[in-house]
mmCIF file with all atom_site columns, all heavy atoms in Angstrom:
data_model
loop_
_atom_site.group_PDB
_atom_site.id
_atom_site.type_symbol
_atom_site.label_atom_id
_atom_site.label_alt_id
_atom_site.label_comp_id
_atom_site.label_asym_id
_atom_site.label_entity_id
_atom_site.label_seq_id
_atom_site.pdbx_PDB_ins_code
_atom_site.Cartn_x
_atom_site.Cartn_y
_atom_site.Cartn_z
_atom_site.occupancy
_atom_site.B_iso_or_equiv
_atom_site.pdbx_formal_charge
_atom_site.auth_seq_id
_atom_site.auth_comp_id
_atom_site.auth_asym_id
_atom_site.auth_atom_id
_atom_site.pdbx_PDB_model_num
ATOM 1  N N   . GLY A 1 215 ? 12.539 -14.500 8.478  1.00 70.00 ? 276 GLY A N   1
ATOM 2  C CA  . GLY A 1 215 ? 12.766 -14.659 7.038  1.00 70.00 ? 276 GLY A CA  1
ATOM 3  C C   . GLY A 1 215 ? 11.478 -14.939 6.292  1.00 70.00 ? 276 GLY A C   1
ATOM 4  O O   . GLY A 1 215 ? 11.226 -14.374 5.222  1.00 70.00 ? 276 GLY A O   1
ATOM 5  N N   . GLN A 1 216 ? 10.629 -15.799 6.854  1.00 73.00 ? 277 GLN A N   1
ATOM 6  C CA  . GLN A 1 216 ? 9.348  -16.107 6.207  1.00 73.00 ? 277 GLN A CA  1
ATOM 7  C C   . GLN A 1 216 ? 8.438  -14.895 6.215  1.00 73.00 ? 277 GLN A C   1
ATOM 8  O O   . GLN A 1 216 ? 7.773  -14.590 5.217  1.00 73.00 ? 277 GLN A O   1
ATOM 9  C CB  . GLN A 1 216 ? 8.667  -17.271 6.920  1.00 73.00 ? 277 GLN A CB  1
ATOM 10 C CG  . GLN A 1 216 ? 7.333  -17.668 6.297  1.00 73.00 ? 277 GLN A CG  1
ATOM 11 C CD  . GLN A 1 216 ? 6.782  -18.956 6.888  1.00 73.00 ? 277 GLN A CD  1
ATOM 12 O OE1 . GLN A 1 216 ? 7.541  -19.852 7.242  1.00 73.00 ? 277 GLN A OE1 1
ATOM 13 N NE2 . GLN A 1 216 ? 5.470  -19.035 6.997  1.00 73.00 ? 277 GLN A NE2 1
ATOM 14 N N   . ASP A 1 217 ? 8.403  -14.175 7.345  1.00 70.00 ? 278 ASP A N   1
ATOM 15 C CA  . ASP A 1 217 ? 7.571  -12.969 7.423  1.00 70.00 ? 278 ASP A CA  1
ATOM 16 C C   . ASP A 1 217 ? 8.042  -11.914 6.432  1.00 70.00 ? 278 ASP A C   1
ATOM 17 O O   . ASP A 1 217 ? 7.235  -11.226 5.803  1.00 70.00 ? 278 ASP A O   1
ATOM 18 C CB  . ASP A 1 217 ? 7.600  -12.394 8.845  1.00 70.00 ? 278 ASP A CB  1
ATOM 19 C CG  . ASP A 1 217 ? 6.788  -13.222 9.814  1.00 70.00 ? 278 ASP A CG  1
ATOM 20 O OD1 . ASP A 1 217 ? 5.916  -13.979 9.343  1.00 70.00 ? 278 ASP A OD1 1
ATOM 21 O OD2 . ASP A 1 217 ? 7.034  -13.136 11.022 1.00 70.00 ? 278 ASP A OD2 1
ATOM 22 N N   . PHE A 1 218 ? 9.372  -11.787 6.311  1.00 72.00 ? 279 PHE A N   1
ATOM 23 C CA  . PHE A 1 218 ? 9.915  -10.798 5.380  1.00 72.00 ? 279 PHE A CA  1
ATOM 24 C C   . PHE A 1 218 ? 9.533  -11.149 3.950  1.00 72.00 ? 279 PHE A C   1
ATOM 25 O O   . PHE A 1 218 ? 9.122  -10.280 3.173  1.00 72.00 ? 279 PHE A O   1
ATOM 26 C CB  . PHE A 1 218 ? 11.434 -10.724 5.514  1.00 72.00 ? 279 PHE A CB  1
ATOM 27 C CG  . PHE A 1 218 ? 12.076 -9.755  4.562  1.00 72.00 ? 279 PHE A CG  1
ATOM 28 C CD1 . PHE A 1 218 ? 12.089 -8.400  4.844  1.00 72.00 ? 279 PHE A CD1 1
ATOM 29 C CD2 . PHE A 1 218 ? 12.652 -10.187 3.376  1.00 72.00 ? 279 PHE A CD2 1
ATOM 30 C CE1 . PHE A 1 218 ? 12.666 -7.500  3.970  1.00 72.00 ? 279 PHE A CE1 1
ATOM 31 C CE2 . PHE A 1 218 ? 13.228 -9.307  2.500  1.00 72.00 ? 279 PHE A CE2 1
ATOM 32 C CZ  . PHE A 1 218 ? 13.243 -7.953  2.796  1.00 72.00 ? 279 PHE A CZ  1
ATOM 33 N N   . THR A 1 219 ? 9.644  -12.436 3.590  1.00 76.00 ? 280 THR A N   1
ATOM 34 C CA  . THR A 1 219 ? 9.296  -12.860 2.235  1.00 76.00 ? 280 THR A CA  1
ATOM 35 C C   . THR A 1 219 ? 7.814  -12.631 1.950  1.00 76.00 ? 280 THR A C   1
ATOM 36 O O   . THR A 1 219 ? 7.448  -12.083 0.901  1.00 76.00 ? 280 THR A O   1
ATOM 37 C CB  . THR A 1 219 ? 9.631  -14.354 2.046  1.00 76.00 ? 280 THR A CB  1
ATOM 38 O OG1 . THR A 1 219 ? 11.010 -14.569 2.320  1.00 76.00 ? 280 THR A OG1 1
ATOM 39 C CG2 . THR A 1 219 ? 9.330  -14.788 0.615  1.00 76.00 ? 280 THR A CG2 1
ATOM 40 N N   . ASP A 1 220 ? 6.963  -13.036 2.887  1.00 75.00 ? 281 ASP A N   1
ATOM 41 C CA  . ASP A 1 220 ? 5.523  -12.837 2.712  1.00 75.00 ? 281 ASP A CA  1
ATOM 42 C C   . ASP A 1 220 ? 5.196  -11.353 2.579  1.00 75.00 ? 281 ASP A C   1
ATOM 43 O O   . ASP A 1 220 ? 4.415  -10.938 1.704  1.00 75.00 ? 281 ASP A O   1
ATOM 44 C CB  . ASP A 1 220 ? 4.758  -13.418 3.891  1.00 75.00 ? 281 ASP A CB  1
ATOM 45 C CG  . ASP A 1 220 ? 4.803  -14.935 3.924  1.00 75.00 ? 281 ASP A CG  1
ATOM 46 O OD1 . ASP A 1 220 ? 5.248  -15.533 2.927  1.00 75.00 ? 281 ASP A OD1 1
ATOM 47 O OD2 . ASP A 1 220 ? 4.402  -15.518 4.952  1.00 75.00 ? 281 ASP A OD2 1
ATOM 48 N N   . SER A 1 221 ? 5.793  -10.543 3.449  1.00 76.00 ? 282 SER A N   1
ATOM 49 C CA  . SER A 1 221 ? 5.514  -9.102  3.422  1.00 76.00 ? 282 SER A CA  1
ATOM 50 C C   . SER A 1 221 ? 6.017  -8.469  2.138  1.00 76.00 ? 282 SER A C   1
ATOM 51 O O   . SER A 1 221 ? 5.333  -7.651  1.521  1.00 76.00 ? 282 SER A O   1
ATOM 52 C CB  . SER A 1 221 ? 6.168  -8.429  4.631  1.00 76.00 ? 282 SER A CB  1
ATOM 53 O OG  . SER A 1 221 ? 6.077  -7.022  4.534  1.00 76.00 ? 282 SER A OG  1
ATOM 54 N N   . LEU A 1 222 ? 7.237  -8.843  1.740  1.00 79.00 ? 283 LEU A N   1
ATOM 55 C CA  . LEU A 1 222 ? 7.835  -8.245  0.543  1.00 79.00 ? 283 LEU A CA  1
ATOM 56 C C   . LEU A 1 222 ? 6.994  -8.533  -0.691 1.00 79.00 ? 283 LEU A C   1
ATOM 57 O O   . LEU A 1 222 ? 6.657  -7.618  -1.455 1.00 79.00 ? 283 LEU A O   1
ATOM 58 C CB  . LEU A 1 222 ? 9.261  -8.772  0.358  1.00 79.00 ? 283 LEU A CB  1
ATOM 59 C CG  . LEU A 1 222 ? 10.032 -8.186  -0.818 1.00 79.00 ? 283 LEU A CG  1
ATOM 60 C CD1 . LEU A 1 222 ? 10.297 -6.697  -0.602 1.00 79.00 ? 283 LEU A CD1 1
ATOM 61 C CD2 . LEU A 1 222 ? 11.352 -8.925  -1.018 1.00 79.00 ? 283 LEU A CD2 1
ATOM 62 N N   . ILE A 1 223 ? 6.634  -9.796  -0.879 1.00 82.00 ? 284 ILE A N   1
ATOM 63 C CA  . ILE A 1 223 ? 5.880  -10.169 -2.081 1.00 82.00 ? 284 ILE A CA  1
ATOM 64 C C   . ILE A 1 223 ? 4.474  -9.565  -2.044 1.00 82.00 ? 284 ILE A C   1
ATOM 65 O O   . ILE A 1 223 ? 3.982  -9.031  -3.049 1.00 82.00 ? 284 ILE A O   1
ATOM 66 C CB  . ILE A 1 223 ? 5.817  -11.696 -2.218 1.00 82.00 ? 284 ILE A CB  1
ATOM 67 C CG1 . ILE A 1 223 ? 7.211  -12.247 -2.509 1.00 82.00 ? 284 ILE A CG1 1
ATOM 68 C CG2 . ILE A 1 223 ? 4.845  -12.106 -3.323 1.00 82.00 ? 284 ILE A CG2 1
ATOM 69 C CD1 . ILE A 1 223 ? 7.284  -13.747 -2.661 1.00 82.00 ? 284 ILE A CD1 1
ATOM 70 N N   . THR A 1 224 ? 3.818  -9.620  -0.876 1.00 84.00 ? 285 THR A N   1
ATOM 71 C CA  . THR A 1 224 ? 2.460  -9.080  -0.770 1.00 84.00 ? 285 THR A CA  1
ATOM 72 C C   . THR A 1 224 ? 2.444  -7.574  -1.010 1.00 84.00 ? 285 THR A C   1
ATOM 73 O O   . THR A 1 224 ? 1.670  -7.062  -1.823 1.00 84.00 ? 285 THR A O   1
ATOM 74 C CB  . THR A 1 224 ? 1.865  -9.394  0.614  1.00 84.00 ? 285 THR A CB  1
ATOM 75 O OG1 . THR A 1 224 ? 1.843  -10.806 0.808  1.00 84.00 ? 285 THR A OG1 1
ATOM 76 C CG2 . THR A 1 224 ? 0.455  -8.851  0.725  1.00 84.00 ? 285 THR A CG2 1
ATOM 77 N N   . ASN A 1 225 ? 3.310  -6.853  -0.289 1.00 86.00 ? 286 ASN A N   1
ATOM 78 C CA  . ASN A 1 225 ? 3.334  -5.390  -0.432 1.00 86.00 ? 286 ASN A CA  1
ATOM 79 C C   . ASN A 1 225 ? 3.812  -4.962  -1.810 1.00 86.00 ? 286 ASN A C   1
ATOM 80 O O   . ASN A 1 225 ? 3.307  -3.986  -2.374 1.00 86.00 ? 286 ASN A O   1
ATOM 81 C CB  . ASN A 1 225 ? 4.232  -4.770  0.647  1.00 86.00 ? 286 ASN A CB  1
ATOM 82 C CG  . ASN A 1 225 ? 3.585  -4.782  2.012  1.00 86.00 ? 286 ASN A CG  1
ATOM 83 O OD1 . ASN A 1 225 ? 2.395  -4.531  2.142  1.00 86.00 ? 286 ASN A OD1 1
ATOM 84 N ND2 . ASN A 1 225 ? 4.354  -5.092  3.037  1.00 86.00 ? 286 ASN A ND2 1
ATOM 85 N N   . LEU A 1 226 ? 4.782  -5.692  -2.351 1.00 89.00 ? 287 LEU A N   1
ATOM 86 C CA  . LEU A 1 226 ? 5.273  -5.359  -3.684 1.00 89.00 ? 287 LEU A CA  1
ATOM 87 C C   . LEU A 1 226 ? 4.176  -5.524  -4.721 1.00 89.00 ? 287 LEU A C   1
ATOM 88 O O   . LEU A 1 226 ? 4.014  -4.687  -5.625 1.00 89.00 ? 287 LEU A O   1
ATOM 89 C CB  . LEU A 1 226 ? 6.479  -6.228  -4.039 1.00 89.00 ? 287 LEU A CB  1
ATOM 90 C CG  . LEU A 1 226 ? 7.215  -5.879  -5.335 1.00 89.00 ? 287 LEU A CG  1
ATOM 91 C CD1 . LEU A 1 226 ? 7.721  -4.441  -5.295 1.00 89.00 ? 287 LEU A CD1 1
ATOM 92 C CD2 . LEU A 1 226 ? 8.367  -6.837  -5.579 1.00 89.00 ? 287 LEU A CD2 1
#
Side-chain angles (χ1 to χ4, degrees):
Q277 181 171 326
D278 286 340
F279 178 81
T280 303
D281 290 349
S282 172
L283 183 66
I284 293 180
T285 301
N286 286 320
L287 187 58

